[in-house]
Structures are given as C-alpha cells and as structure tokens.
Amino acid sequence: YYVWDCAAGTGNLLTGLTNKYNIWASTLDKQDVDVMHDRIDAMNANSISGQGANLLKDHVFRFDFLNDDFSNLPKPLQEIINNPEKRKKLVVYINPPYAESGTGVGRTFKRNISTETLIYRTYKDKVRKGINELFIQFLTRIYFEIPDCIIGEFSKLKVIQSPNFEIFRNLFLAKLEKCFVVPANTFDNVKGSFPIGFKIWNCKNKVRFNKIRANICDLKGVYITKKSFFSYDNQKGKINDWLRKYFDKKASPIGILHNNKNDFQHNIQVRITIRDIKDHTTPISPNNIIQMCIYMAVRHCIPATWLNDRDQFLYPNNGWKNDKEFQNDCLAFTLFHGQNRISSNEGTNHWIPFTENEVNAREKFESNFMSKFIKGKIKPDEEDNLFSVNEPKAHYEVPLKFSPEATDVFDAGRELWKYFHAQPNCNVNASLYDIREHFQGRNDKGKMNNKSKDETYMKMITNLRDKLKLLAQKIEPKVYEYGFLKE
C-alpha cells in the first residue's frame, strides 16, 4: 500500500510506519515541513536509537490540499493518483482540522474560514451545508478527485450521524469497513465532551452508510466496549416531529417545555418553566401533559456522556400509548427532576404533586392542579375555568396508578416538602426548584449552589435523587423498546 497524509502537521500520525518509500506527507505550513525535515535528519543521524521521523525528505512537502492543484504534487505521487490500479492501493491517512465556518455555541467555529477555499467554492452547491466543515472538504476532494482509494480518517461522528450531513452521505458512497471511537480530549488542544472516530472507508465499494458497530476506547486507548452508530436517514422522523403532534393551541398552558435539537448534546436545554420564550418551546396543558412528561423523561433518564453525544432521539412506535405505567413513571420522573425549573416566582405553580394536608402546608396552595390531576379529579371548567379540556371527561376521572419505583420517588418528595413547610416564613406555593433554591442558595454569579449547610435537607434531597435514579433505570429499557432511541 501507499500512504499519504495530506494534513500531516509535523508528521505525528505517521509515527510507527516503516516503509518510508511508500509514505508521503504534505502540510499547509512551510514551518511544519521544516520540522519534519529536521526530524528526518535526526532519524538518519541516530538510526540505532530510532529517534526522529522515518520518512524521505522528497516525500515531505508543502501542499494546500483545499486549494492547490494536484499537478503540484511530487511526480511519484501523481503517478499513483493518475493510475486507476495504483489508486486502489493508496491509503489517504489523515487527522484533518475540525473547524467550521459560521457562529454557534459550544462548537469550533471560525467565521469564513472554510468559505475561502477552492474546494468549498467547487462543491458547495453539491454538498450543501456539510461543506462548511473543513474535514468534510478534505473527504469531498479525496472521494471525487482520487476515486477508489482507501481513506483512514479521524473526525467527529457528525459525518455518519448528523441530520445536516444527509446530503453528503447520499454522495459519499463508500463502505465503512472499520471504526473505533475515543473521547475528543484524547487529542491535544481539543476541548469538549464528544466522540472522535477513526474510520476506514473503502471507496471502491459504492454503498451508502447506514450502521456500524464500533470499538470504544478510553483516553489511554484501552478497549471498553462496542457501540452501534446509525445514520438515522431512513427514520420516520425525530422526537421533535413526534412532539409537534401534541402542540395544544387551545388550552391555557400550565407550563412551557423547552425543547431543542434531537441529540444528547442538547439535552441540557430541555427543561420545564413557567416563563415563555419564543424559540423551541411547546406549551404544556392538561391535554398533552403526559406526552410532554414522556418527552422530558426520555430525554433525561439516560445521562448524556461523551459517547452518546451525537445519538439522535427518534419518532417512537405506538407501544407507549397502551403502557400506562410507563406514562405515569414519566410523569413522576418529570415532577421531581432537576430540569423541572417551574418556579412560583414566575407565575402560578400548577406542579405541586401533593395536597396541603399531605405536607402540612401553612396556607392553601394557589393551585391544586397537579394533585387533582394525579387523583383523576381534573374535569372541564374546573379550576375557575383556567383550563379548556377537550378530551372525554372519563379520561380525567381515573386516578393514576404508579409503580413501586415511582411511589418511592413520591414518598421521598413528600418528606422534603414537609420539611420545607416546617421552615419559618416559607413560600407556601414553592416548587421543587424553589425549595432547592431556599436551602442551597446562590453564589455571587447567581448560580444555584450544589450543596446546603442544612444536613437534614441534604439527606432528603440525596434520597430523592437516589430514588429518581432507580426510576430512571426502570424507564430506560422502554426508551429503546418504544423506539425513542436505537441500540
């Protein structure tokens, strides 16, 4: 085989390869070429110790892969690229840059960096949005201008998972033979909790990517497990498409669900509040509260990690509709989860899951909606005509039955509410978020503290969180069974 690293930097990726006569290294910066030449000199001077770079100086050269013409390549490499049979033995072996043109939060953006290249201008109409990524520009040129070669490349998994790259996947017809995945911070100067995969593409085999089962390694390269990754391109839809079915325009909202994109990395933005904002929100009403709580529970019952960062939540099958225990588990999970940011400081709190008597409240609550909903007592025109309920009356006359795990969560929550209502001058209408703020306080930057000096509260909130974790573990298998996630 022939090996060409066309984004070589100082040549670290080529360390360990032995046949220097079949290896080429090119890079954008002349300074990097000089470093590699110095390393070659060091290898030649210390051949016994093996220090330096095992390369040929004539095979190491400056070349702007995204702008320069292939006629500027060394003649032996040109001969390989121009020969259909030799191309099949060429491995383009790269760790390209991950910068993206544009603006965004939590991503490596550099304004206009990729729109300045020849490859961008040549393929932008064909590849569309994906061409903004520099590593996609590398893959695009290799695939179309060095046909039938083999590509071994490190890159983010959006190339195989992200909806924005579906057009690219339709064009990039190559078999993904093998893949392993590591945390992003395995690489120097890379920040963020996301996966980077090394992928071997066989460009001779014209197939569209659909699925790969990859090896997962830790920061030290030690094998952990295997995991499947999917393109999701043939799915019925994503979870936000499902959510739109339950948008209730008629009833007055009891809260607002903040939903964003369909992957794990955006789960931190999925929460419930009273205050409305314009973008990515869905009103919660008595008509859709179960579906909204299913959405919340599905998004949060499985912790987001570096490994599942790009996994997509999907449009489910209909199995959940007849599973009342699953639905009620999701309601319980949502009521007591940390991303339930309902606060009586923003308006009427309709989310208190207990009656005044259950928690020894000092005064009557402003709203008893949630405890009545749980007991099956919410009917049309109740609560001073606050809610317009369009579903059959019988739907609201059946008390909800909870699993043992959900019941344990309610029991732990009830003890916490009781303890709070025993405090002097407490806010009678407090939500769980308000209770946490009361005991934990905020730092000088306005962020809620993680702990409280009140040891009794800490025991109670820890117990509640432990019970919530057990409930999450009960919900998790149903997330896969009903198709919200793929295994």
Side-chain angles (χ1 to χ4, degrees):
Y1 287 87
Y2 310 101
V3 176
W4 178 20
D5 184 351
C6 57
T10 56
N12 292 331
L13 196 61
L14 301 173
T15 300
L17 301 183
T18 57
N19 187 357
K20 61 185 177 181
Y21 295 98
N22 280 17
I23 302 170
W24 282 263
S26 63
T27 181
L28 178 64
D29 296 323
K30 178 61 167 60
Q31 184 176 355
D32 287 339
V33 173
D34 294 338
V35 170
M36 280 190 280
H37 283 175
D38 289 342
R39 292 177 61 209
I40 293 170
D41 291 337
M43 170 64 78
N44 294 335
N46 301 281
S47 57
I48 296 177
S49 66
Q51 295 178 350
N54 185 31
L55 301 168
L56 298 175
K57 279 192 174 182
D58 289 344
H59 284 199
V60 176
F61 55 96
R62 185 197 173 281
F63 185 78
D64 184 348
F65 191 81
L66 300 182
N67 288 289
D68 290 347
D69 191 271
F70 283 168
S71 61
N72 295 325
L73 295 173
K75 293 295 183 183
L77 186 54
Q78 286 189 51
E79 291 175 3
I80 294 170
I81 290 175
N82 294 329
N83 185 312
E85 291 305 312
K86 287 186 176 182
R87 272 204 309 268
K88 295 176 182 179
K89 304 287 284 185
L90 174 62
V91 179
V92 182
Y93 180 42
I94 53 171
N95 177 26
Y98 303 148
E100 179 181 1
S101 176
T103 57
V105 178
R107 300 161 72 181
T108 310
F109 284 96
K110 296 184 180 180
R111 187 180 300 275
N112 295 330
I113 185 171
S114 58
T115 57
E116 299 170 354
T117 71
L118 175 63
I119 298 304
Y120 175 90
R121 295 191 295 272
T122 302
Y123 293 100
K124 63 179 181 179
D125 293 334
K126 195 170 189 176
V127 179
R128 305 291 180 87
K129 189 172 183 178
I131 203 68
N132 288 338
E133 291 271 7
L134 285 182
F135 81 90
I136 290 295
Q137 292 185 31
F138 275 86
L139 292 180
T140 298
R141 185 174 197 187
I142 296 166
Y143 181 79
F144 287 109
E145 299 183 17
I146 314 176
D148 296 340
C149 70
I150 296 169
I151 305 174
E153 53 92 9
F154 289 92
S155 67
K156 293 180 283 187
L157 297 188
K158 60 172 64 178
V159 66
I160 61 175
Q161 288 189 297
S162 172
N164 290 335
F165 292 79
E166 182 174 358
I167 292 175
F168 177 78
R169 288 190 289 272
N170 288 334
L171 299 169
F172 189 81
L173 302 180
K175 184 179 180 183
L176 182 53
E177 299 281 2
K178 294 284 185 178
C179 177
F180 71 79
V181 175
V182 296
N185 57 351
T186 300
F187 294 86
D188 292 340
N189 302 317
V190 177
K191 297 180 180 179
S193 182
F194 60 91
I196 289 178
F198 177 70
K199 298 169 288 297
I200 300 177
W201 300 94
N202 182 353
C203 297
K204 297 188 294 290
N205 197 338
K206 309 296 184 186
V207 295
R208 193 186 188 286
F209 172 76
N210 180 49
K211 175 184 177 181
I212 187 75
R213 189 141 180 92
N215 290 337
I216 311 302
C217 301
D218 64 15
L219 283 170
K220 296 182 179 180
V222 177
Y223 171 83
I224 303 172
T225 184
K226 288 184 178 290
K227 176 177 165 57
S228 294
F229 297 93
F230 307 89
S231 70
Y232 304 108
D233 295 332
N234 297 320
Q235 298 298 315
K236 179 180 179 181
K238 303 293 172 41
I239 195 171
N240 285 339
D241 300 317
W242 174 78
L243 185 68
R244 292 186 191 98
K245 288 180 57 179
Y246 302 100
F247 195 96
D248 189 352
K249 297 180 180 178
K250 297 180 180 180
S252 300
I254 61 171
I256 301 296
L257 173 67
H258 300 253
N259 55 283
N260 203 310
K261 295 182 180 179
N262 300 289
D263 53 20
F264 270 93
Q265 68 170 324
H266 289 92
N267 277 3
I268 193 171
Q269 298 171 21
V270 176
R271 63 198 187 280
I272 291 176
T273 66
I274 294 175
R275 183 172 57 87
D276 190 10
I277 59 174
K278 291 183 179 180
D279 297 329
H280 308 298
T281 57
T282 304
I284 306 172
S285 78
N287 297 331
N288 66 13
I289 186 171
I290 291 298
Q291 291 84 359
M292 300 300 105
C293 290
I294 289 174
Y295 184 94
M296 267 283 289
V298 164
R299 294 295 297 256
H300 287 298
C301 70
I302 302 171
T305 67
W306 70 268
L307 186 54
N308 63 21
D309 180 73
R310 301 286 177 181
D311 288 2
Q312 301 282 317
F313 290 91
L314 305 172
Y315 197 110
N317 58 51
N318 291 327
W320 67 271
K321 290 184 176 180
N322 297 318
D323 192 338
K324 296 300 180 183
E325 185 171 276
F326 169 72
Q327 295 177 22
N328 297 341
D329 282 346
C330 291
L331 172 64
F333 183 88
T334 299
L335 287 173
F336 297 97
H337 192 268
Q339 287 296 92
N340 184 338
R341 302 293 182 87
I342 293 291
S343 173
S344 60
N345 295 324
E346 296 180 350
T348 301
N349 175 16
H350 299 293
W351 293 76
I352 302 174
F354 310 109
T355 65
E356 291 88 346
N357 288 332
E358 285 183 282
V359 297
N360 300 324
R362 296 166 184 262
E363 297 288 346
K364 190 178 186 307
F365 299 148
E366 189 175 345
S367 170
N368 293 105
F369 167 79
M370 191 58 67
S371 62
K372 288 185 176 181
F373 181 83
I374 290 170
K375 289 178 171 59
K377 295 180 179 180
I378 290 295
K379 301 168 186 170
D381 301 322
E382 196 166 348
E383 294 252 328
D384 299 324
N385 296 314
L386 177 63
F387 307 110
S388 173
V389 180
N390 301 315
E391 294 192 35
K393 179 178 178 180
H395 178 79
Y396 298 94
E397 294 180 333
V398 180
L400 303 185
K401 295 182 180 179
F402 293 97
S403 65
E405 293 83 355
T407 300
D408 287 345
V409 170
F410 274 100
D411 291 344
R414 188 181 299 106
E415 292 305 307
L416 179 59
W417 250 268
K418 282 183 181 179
Y419 184 66
F420 172 76
H421 281 279
Q423 307 302 309
N425 301 317
C426 69
N427 172 11
V428 173
N429 296 298
S431 65
L432 176 60
Y433 189 74
D434 295 330
I435 292 172
R436 290 171 53 213
E437 184 178 33
H438 172 85
F439 286 108
Q440 295 172 211
R442 294 184 180 273
N443 60 24
D444 54 1
K445 295 182 179 180
K447 184 178 180 180
M448 190 181 296
N449 297 315
N450 293 325
K451 296 181 180 180
S452 170
K453 295 179 181 180
D454 189 312
E455 293 183 2
T456 302
Y457 165 77
M458 287 304 300
K459 289 180 181 178
M460 288 183 170
I461 194 68
T462 299
N463 181 48
L464 174 59
R465 289 168 178 165
D466 289 343
K467 301 301 183 186
L468 199 67
K469 288 178 182 177
L470 294 176
L471 179 58
Q473 292 171 10
K474 181 176 184 294
I475 294 171
E476 181 176 344
K478 298 294 182 71
V479 173
Y480 294 99
E481 179 181 343
Y482 299 142
F484 289 101
L485 285 173
K486 281 185 131 182
E487 281 191 285

